[in-house]
Structure formats: structure tokens, C-alpha cells
Amino acid sequence: MIERLAIDARFKGPPNSGNGGYSCGVMARHLKGAVEASLKLPPPLDTPLEIMQTDGGVTMQHGDTLVGIAKPATLDLEVPALPTPLVLGGDPVDAPGRPAKFRPFGTCFVCGHDRTHPDGLCIHSKLVDGHDGMVASQWALDVGYADEAGNVAPEFIWSALDCPGYFACAPGEAALLGRLTAEILAPLRAEGEATVIGWDLGGAGRKRRCGTAIYAADGTLVAKAEGLWIVVDPEKIKA
């Protein structure tokens, strides 16, 4: 066993389970380079979990129950340039032509509008004017997200790469993160602001694909990710 932990309720996504990006990041922080992390079931909150080493990577376990898997990966993802100027528009859920009207969780650690900064990341994605299928948000950083070196800790980088992807590829649908493949390319000081973008990569059936990226204030590409979201029965994840 590498680590024993519990996902604090602060880091929820849906009301009763861990934020997908944070949960994936808890596994990925034990690996180097690009990592593919998959969730096999909603990560339970305030519950003893174990990170276990395997031949191919790590797993997250609750006793004998497999919660997630993470392993080294190759991430071949072309990231759009950060639009300049970045002009933000409306809420993606309310965009014209959206058939579904599922409203994401207000208490989500990453995107919840009921959270206050810095207790939540408060990354509130908006449509980017002039760029179809793209969303973006400013992210106010905080020393509370820092590792021992003063940089944003990996699990919070992974968190920030999560929800903007939903708003790019599945806004208004009841969907959960199934897989996130991410690579941290540069350190991000836990101060000032960063910009997080998401863009639609298409999908079919119940699957939705997206890209996300984080840019530092000086324009440095800090991290990128490709996400897979699965549309589910909204009754199963309602508050």
C-alpha cells in the first residue's frame, strides 16, 4: 500500500461522492508524466481508501472494492491557443439549442456556485465568444492549494482540468467523469490567477469527449487533459 486516505466532503463533485478530477489526481500524484485515470464507481466521501501499487500503475480501493485505476499514458492532444482577447459570454447550460436542462451541482468543489473561494476552486466556465465549442474561466489561485514548494499541488491541477470539460462537451446533460488523461507540463505558483479552457471533442451514444487546459498568467501552458464523460440517469445523481 502506498497511501491510506479518505476523500473529505469538501472535495465532493456530486453531493455524495468525490469530485472526479480530484479523485483521479489523488491517484495520479503517485505517478510521473502523463497519466490515464479511470473511475469505476463514484468515489465515496469520508470513507477509508487505500492507494495500492500494481505492475501497471496504482489502484484506489475501498477494502476489496475497486474505486479507480491510474496508469502511465501517452497524451497526444493538440491544445488550442488561448484566445486573445479572451471574451467570455453566457452559461453553456443555457446556450441556444441545448435540449437538456440538467443543472450541475451547486456544491461541487470545482465549479459549484454555492461554494466560496478558496474553500472551492470557483471555476465557473463561460462560453468563449467567437470560438464554438470552447469555454473558459479565470481561476483565482490560493496558498491553500500549494504543495511544499509553493506550487499548486497535482490533485488541484487535476481538479481544475475536470469540470470545464463537462461544460464544453455535455452542458445540460446528467453526466459523470469516467476517465481523465492528463499531463502536467510546468509548475504553477499558488498565487495570482490562471485561465482554464475546455473544448468539445465530440461523442456518440452516452459518451462525450473533451479537452481541457490550464494557462498561467504569463501564457505558459501548465497542463492539458482529455476527458471522457458518461451520460447517466439524472435520478441516480440528483441532490
Side-chain angles (χ1 to χ4, degrees), residues 157-168:
I157 294 288
W158 278 72
S159 300
L161 291 168
D162 176 7
C163 298
Y166 166 83
F167 288 101

Side-chain angles (χ1 to χ4, degrees), residues 16-105:
N16 299 310
S17 59
N19 171 265
Y22 179 86
S23 303
C24 288
V26 166
M27 294 186 287
R29 66 188 177 189
H30 295 287
L31 303 171
K32 295 181 179 180
V35 175
E36 177 187 293
S38 301
L39 297 174
K40 301 303 181 182
L41 53 82
L45 299 171
D46 297 324
T47 300
L49 301 169
E50 299 84 35
I51 306 296
M52 309 293 292
Q53 181 119 35
T54 68
D55 290 341
V58 300
T59 60
M60 180 186 289
Q61 307 269 154
H62 173 43
D64 293 332
T65 302
L66 179 64
V67 178
I69 298 173
K71 60 184 180 181
T74 298
L75 180 57
D76 183 16
L77 177 68
E78 183 176 348
V79 178
L82 186 63
T84 306
L86 180 64
V87 181
L88 301 182
D91 186 333
V93 175
D94 296 327
R98 296 302 310 177
K101 293 300 179 184
F102 179 82
R103 181 63 59 176
F105 310 108

Side-chain angles (χ1 to χ4, degrees), residues 88-155:
L88 301 182
D91 186 333
V93 175
D94 296 327
R98 296 302 310 177
K101 293 300 179 184
F102 179 82
R103 181 63 59 176
F105 310 108
T107 57
C108 174
F109 171 62
V110 177
C111 68
H113 284 268
D114 297 338
R115 302 293 291 265
T116 57
H117 185 269
D119 177 64
L121 300 188
C122 295
I123 298 175
H124 300 148
S125 297
K126 300 293 185 181
L127 298 169
V128 178
D129 286 358
H131 295 267
D132 289 344
M134 181 182 286
V135 300
S137 174
Q138 298 302 120
W139 176 22
L141 305 173
D142 185 86
V143 68
Y145 311 145
D147 61 15
E148 293 181 355
N151 299 317
V152 177
E155 58 268 31

